[in-house]
Each structure stands twice: as C-alpha cells, then as structure tokens.
Amino acid sequence: MRECPFVTVDVFTEHRFRGNPLAVILDGSELTTEEMQRIATEFGYSETTFLLPPEEIDNTAQVRIFTPTTEVPFAGHPNVGTAFVVGRMGRIFGQSVGEALRFEEKAGLVTVTLRRLGDAVRGATIRAPQPLSVGAQVPVPLLARAADLSPHDIVADRHAPSFASVGLKFVVAELSDLDALGRAKPNVETLEEMCATFAAEESDCPLFLYTRLDGEHIRARMFAPLDNVPEDPATGSASAALGALLTSLELADHGHFRFLIEQGVEMGRTSHIHVATEKRGGHVHTVDISGDCVEVMRGTISI
C-alpha cells in the first residue's frame, strides 16, 4: 500500500470554511493519471492539484489540476492555494522555495509570487499563462435559458455573452442586478444544447455570471454542472478572464486596472478575488490574480 500526504486549504479567504476548498497532493510522482482522477473525484472539490518534479530545473514544480471529472490546463484558485502550500513548506523536490515560483502546467508556465504578512505566507499572486482570447458570442435568449433567467436579466451593452479565456474557457455574461444574479441557476439540458451548438469551442460551457456593484467591485457566480461542479465559490481563472475582457473594452489604450470580484456569497462561502490588469497599445498585456489562503486539514491518502 502506498500513502500520499496531502494538505487542504481554503482559497481566496482569510477564514476557514469560507472561500474555495482545495486539496494539494504533495508528491504525485508515483501516481498514474487514472489514480489522480480517482483521488480528485474522492475529494469532490472543484479542483485537486498534484505536485510533481519539474521537467526544467529552473522551475519549482509540475502541477496537474483535476476537477472531479477531468484534467484542466489551468485554474486560478488551485494555483493560489498550491503556491500557498509550497511557500509554507520552504523546500520541494530538493530545492529551496523563494518568493517567486514557476509552475509547469498544461496551459504553459505559470508564474506565482508569494504574499506575506511579516514572515508568514498568507497567499499568492499568479499571472495568467495565456493572452485573452474571446470566442463565439452566445445569443441572449440561449444564455437566459441556460441560466434559468429572462432575456431582460442579461446586459449586453458592454459585451454580448461570450466565450472568454486566459487559460481556461468560460461563457461570461453580465446580469442586470443582484436580484437576477441571486435567481440564476444552471439548466443542464440547455447547457448540453449550448455545448452542441458551439462544439468548435471545445468547452463544457461553464457559466460565469456577474453584475457590477460600483466601480471596480463585482459580484459573480460560476456554474459548471457538466464538470460536476454545480456551483463554485471562487473561480480565479474565470475572474482573470473577466478582468481581461473588461480591460479590453476600456477606451484607454494604456493603463492599469483593478477589480475586486466577490463570489460564493450565495453559497455561504464568501470569497474575495483581486484582479490587476495592464493594457498596452490597446491590448491586454498582463492579468494578475491575488488572494489569501488558510490551511484546514493535513493527512495521507492510501492507494
């Protein structure tokens, strides 16, 4: 029997039992892909990460990310939580951990900077691994049916409901107000129809719905029932895609922009995701996601 140590953390929060839970398997080098998937399914969190030795010696680790049903190339809260765990370890795979970490992932190399309070690691800031890509627009009536809303609840003045990604693809749509956001719920049958209609997007059509409260403050919800995630309390990759999309729509060709995205409120797991973007020459140049974490459990998994 093999035993794999793990740590769980709550991400994008300073308080246990809030934010988004994450399981981090500290050494997955002896696990098969099938075993990783089974472990992720057993935890049942929106994502579980597995640390492996890096392929390039200058990098910190290879990180594989699994939902309960599949492996994904990139996600925000797994990177923030994994960096928090690695930063507190101090050493990994025979190397000391500095302030800047480099994770090898399916989507590319992810750069992570630790956030500290005094000497203690409190969280991390990650940089999205890919530039903003905006895909097909989803008709408002179809999006409304997929979220069990009225077309009048959808705001398309700034942008139409669209596929957007900086490493992981989401259907991003603005809603009229908090009431509409609170009433939203995924319609699985319509989401399956959406996946078939937009098969070229190669996406399970996770919905990232948001409304602007004031200025930089945004409230959001994310539904991915086709990935066995009925609702996610904090979705860094979706928040990064949204921040990049909103930055691309700014009239200024250059500038720095910040957004505070609040998520998980309706689930009783309030999360705070900080997104900072830079625009150069009319294009989104960088997207950074920041958040705090707190450790919850430690243990071993028997294989």
Side-chain angles (χ1 to χ4, degrees):
M1 181 183 295
R2 289 170 291 149
E3 290 191 340
C4 296
F6 72 87
V7 176
T8 76
V9 293
D10 287 338
V11 184
F12 293 124
T13 181
E14 298 176 353
H15 307 282
R16 285 183 182 84
F17 315 123
R18 300 184 192 175
N20 201 352
L22 172 76
V24 182
I25 312 306
L26 302 182
D27 187 352
S29 56
E30 295 186 5
L31 297 173
T32 66
T33 296
E34 181 182 5
E35 287 172 330
M36 292 181 190
Q37 185 63 75
R38 287 181 175 178
I39 290 169
T41 303
E42 181 75 11
F43 272 107
Y45 296 159
S46 56
E47 282 103 1
T48 296
T49 62
F50 297 81
L51 290 163
L52 296 92
E55 293 183 355
E56 300 292 337
I57 193 170
D58 291 338
N59 299 330
T60 307
Q62 181 184 163
V63 178
R64 297 183 66 178
I65 306 169
F66 288 78
T67 74
T69 60
T70 191
E71 185 172 8
V72 295
F74 168 75
H77 109 273
N79 274 290
V80 171
T82 301
F84 171 77
V85 170
V86 171
R88 284 161 56 95
M89 289 167 60
R91 291 184 63 83
I92 185 170
F93 302 125
Q95 298 186 62
S96 297
V97 175
E99 295 303 298
L101 289 68
R102 293 159 60 91
F103 290 155
E104 300 169 353
E105 301 184 12
K106 299 287 186 181
L109 194 63
V110 178
T111 303
V112 191
T113 304
L114 297 177
R115 287 159 52 91
R116 292 184 181 271
L117 182 61
D119 293 332
V121 177
R122 61 179 292 184
T125 298
I126 68 171
R127 178 151 291 180
Q130 297 178 5
L132 171 67
S133 64
V134 179
Q137 296 184 355
V138 177
V140 167
L142 178 58
L143 188 286
R145 284 196 292 117
D148 200 24
L149 295 171
S150 162
H152 298 292
D153 293 320
I154 314 301
V155 177
D157 295 346
R158 294 186 183 90
H159 65 87
S162 305
F163 289 87
S165 172
V166 290
L168 189 62
K169 195 172 292 184
F170 296 86
V171 178
V172 178
E174 182 176 1
L175 302 188
S176 56
D177 52 32
L178 284 175
D179 177 69
L181 189 67
R183 287 186 282 108
K185 56 184 179 181
N187 183 309
V188 172
E189 183 177 336
T190 305
L191 285 171
E192 289 174 342
E193 175 189 340
M194 186 183 294
C195 288
T197 300
F198 295 98
E201 294 289 342
E202 298 182 339
S203 169
D204 285 337
C205 298
L207 300 180
F208 193 63
L209 310 177
Y210 75 96
T211 188
R212 300 191 79 151
L213 301 183
D214 60 75
E216 302 170 349
H217 192 181
I218 291 169
R219 175 83 65 82
R221 299 179 73 184
M222 199 287 280
F223 305 101
L226 301 185
D227 287 327
N228 203 30
V229 181
E231 183 170 0
D232 195 29
T235 318
S237 49
S239 297
L242 173 60
L245 177 62
L246 295 178
T247 299
S248 74
L249 299 173
E250 291 284 346
L251 295 178
D253 286 339
H254 306 272
H256 291 83
F257 305 91
R258 293 185 177 276
F259 307 94
L260 171 60
I261 299 179
E262 190 177 54
Q263 193 179 335
V265 176
E266 294 78 7
M267 303 174 67
R269 297 195 66 102
T270 299
S271 307
H272 294 105
I273 304 166
H274 298 271
V275 181
T277 64
E278 182 184 2
K279 193 175 185 182
R280 292 184 188 176
H283 299 285
V284 181
H285 181 64
T286 58
V287 183
D288 293 332
I289 315 157
S290 300
D292 292 334
C293 304
V294 59
E295 183 178 314
V296 180
M297 291 186 286
R298 285 179 173 265
T300 57
I301 301 168
S302 298
I303 306 295

